[in-house]
Amino acid sequence: MKALCWHGKGDIRCDSVPDPRIEDGRDVVIKMTACAICGSDLHLMDGYIPFMEKGDILGHEFMGEVVEVGGDNKRLKVGDRVVVPFTICCGECQQCRRGNWSVCERTNRNAENATKAFGYPTAGLFGYSHLTGAYAGGQAEFVRVPYADVSPIIIPNGMSDEQALFLGDIFPTGWMAAANCEIEPTDIVAIWGCGPVGQFCIKSALMQGAARVIAIDNVPERLALAQQAGAEIINFDDEDATIPDRLKEMTGGHGADKCIDAVGAESHATASLDAIIDKVKAATLLGTDRPHALRAAIMACRPGGIVSVPGVYGGFLDKIPFGAAMNKGLTIRTGQTHVNRYSQELLRRIEEGQIDPSFIITHRAKLEDGPELYETFRDKKDNCIKVVLTA
Ligand SMILES: NC(=O)c1ccc[n+]([C@@H]2O[C@H](COP(=O)([O-])OP(=O)(O)OC[C@H]3O[C@@H](n4cnc5c(N)ncnc54)[C@H](O)[C@@H]3O)[C@@H](O)[C@H]2O)c1
Ligand SMILES: [Zn+2]
Ligand SMILES: [Zn+2]
């Protein structure tokens, strides 16, 4: 079959690889009908997440039709249409039972790597390195789905692939980032990053009742989409003031009650000293991440506020103003998304027409065009916001 494979920094290829097989009774194999490229895939492409190996199959946003079912799987049958959440969950360990799905204790086959990096293992993830279980990803014609009696979301007939696909990652990610802010009706929510995750943070914060949402980026078409959703916008390229100062000014000195970092490890900034140092350190392997947006979110948050971090970070972050976080009494919440917590509620919201997640898609293509579209998405060429690939 065809699959998009990682071959080194910036080198993604559409390869011919063996078809997957059922390996355990709880597995299913699906025929992929739609998959997407996520901002998290860019961290792999750009070499920010270690433990990738040549030939690894990428992709963790995917859906398809069940074509083979393991003998112990009583939940799915051949022909079911499913969206597969990016986190692999056993459904039985203490963390799964607590609803902390993305830190399932059993599904990471390389638990020792994750324990070295993080102190404890975290869940297995599709297509996301040997740190998170070395599972083949979903940017492929066929995908083996382990523990498939737990997480896959059965999609009703009548809902299109494009409406359903993002239930597996970026919609619940934006939703959880907003839920982590415990939004109150008077809240002003500031959101760094208007990529796909930022867009779902904006929609979710408004759906959860925020009074105002202020979105920050420097990509005009992404800011325009944020504005269309009801956010006020700041283009950081146009600012002389720092973003925390600008937010103060826009809120009559009050500041943002809740701040969301939907940028993650590869933050850009115009001519700011900390961002230049981050870039040099990351390029020379002296630093692991470029956390400019996280610093700004902590500085901009009003005392007693909440900083929610869906943005992915990989390692040890430099010059984080923890003194500001501590002295202002901030609450910081973060995590890979506990997708299963939100699956049924968000499916219902799509069915009821409260949101159509396909608003985000700008590029549609075939799997074999994937390598080129990775570059288009990374470089924000051709007004690209979200790429969907079909087999
Ligand atoms: N927590 C989770 O489970 C989860 C799930 C999916 C994605 N993510 C992460 O969310 C982040 C965003 O994903 P995405 O798909 O939207 O990626 P993306 O790369 O398309 O979007 C990031 C956006 O941030 C903007 N940006 C860069 N520097 C900025 C700055 N200093 N201030 C404001 N904006 C800035 C970029 O211009 C871009 O539009 C990534 O780190 C990704 O790994 C996390
Ligand atoms: Zn993702
Ligand atoms: Zn578990």
Side-chain angles (χ1 to χ4, degrees), residues 37-41 60-61 86 128 168-170 173 197 312 336 386:
I37 306 176
C38 179
S40 299
D41 294 325
H60 60 269
E61 283 190 282
F86 74 99
Y128 219 74
D169 182 356
I170 54 174
T173 294
V197 169
V312 165
Q336 298 283 0
K386 189 76 181 176

Side-chain angles (χ1 to χ4, degrees), residues 39-40 43 169 173 195-197 217 222 262-263 267-268 310 312 335-337:
S40 299
H43 304 323
D169 182 356
T173 294
V197 169
D217 205 305
R222 295 181 177 211
V263 178
S267 188
H268 296 282
V312 165
Q336 298 283 0
T337 305

Side-chain angles (χ1 to χ4, degrees), residues 186-200:
T186 54
D187 274 351
I188 302 170
V189 182
I191 299 174
W192 278 257
C194 297
V197 169
Q199 300 291 340
F200 280 103

Side-chain angles (χ1 to χ4, degrees), residues 165-179:
L165 177 61
F166 304 129
L167 281 169
D169 182 356
I170 54 174
F171 184 15
T173 294
W175 191 264
M176 181 168 113

Side-chain angles (χ1 to χ4, degrees), residues 95-283:
Q95 294 290 11
C96 281
R97 281 188 282 140
R98 285 194 181 107
N100 294 333
W101 302 95
S102 73
V103 289
C104 170
E105 294 169 328
R106 290 197 191 150
T107 53
N108 190 339
R109 296 183 295 192
N110 301 119
E112 68 287 0
N113 287 347
T115 303
K116 268 189 211 132
F118 305 139
Y120 288 87
T122 53
L125 307 179
F126 288 98
Y128 219 74
S129 90
H130 295 252
L131 192 60
T132 55
Y135 289 98
Q139 289 163 1
E141 285 180 285
F142 294 91
V143 195
R144 172 191 165 228
V145 181
Y147 300 93
D149 50 354
V150 180
S151 305
I153 308 162
I154 300 175
I155 301 305
N157 290 329
M159 187 179 290
S160 70
D161 279 15
E162 291 192 353
Q163 285 176 307
L165 177 61
F166 304 129
L167 281 169
D169 182 356
I170 54 174
F171 184 15
T173 294
W175 191 264
M176 181 168 113
N180 276 344
C181 288
E182 293 174 10
I183 292 171
E184 295 175 44
T186 54
D187 274 351
I188 302 170
V189 182
I191 299 174
W192 278 257
C194 297
V197 169
Q199 300 291 340
F200 280 103
C201 290
I202 295 167
K203 292 256 186 200
S204 301
L206 290 168
M207 286 169 86
Q208 292 174 32
R212 291 170 67 189
V213 169
I214 305 175
I216 304 141
D217 205 305
N218 71 338
V219 181
E221 61 275 10
R222 295 181 177 211
L223 286 166
L225 192 61
Q227 203 166 29
Q228 219 172 299
E232 300 160 59
I233 55 173
I234 302 175
N235 183 332
F236 65 76
D237 278 348
D238 297 344
E239 294 300 321
D240 291 327
T242 65
I243 298 300
D245 283 348
R246 178 82 177 102
L247 283 168
K248 244 188 208 167
E249 188 188 301
M250 288 172 77
T251 57
H254 175 85
D257 301 285
K258 310 288 161 69
C259 292
I260 299 179
D261 168 5
V263 178
E266 299 180 64
S267 188
H268 296 282
T270 322
S272 99
L273 184 60
D274 68 313
I276 295 167
I277 294 172
D278 288 342
K279 207 167 174 178
V280 172
K281 283 196 155 183

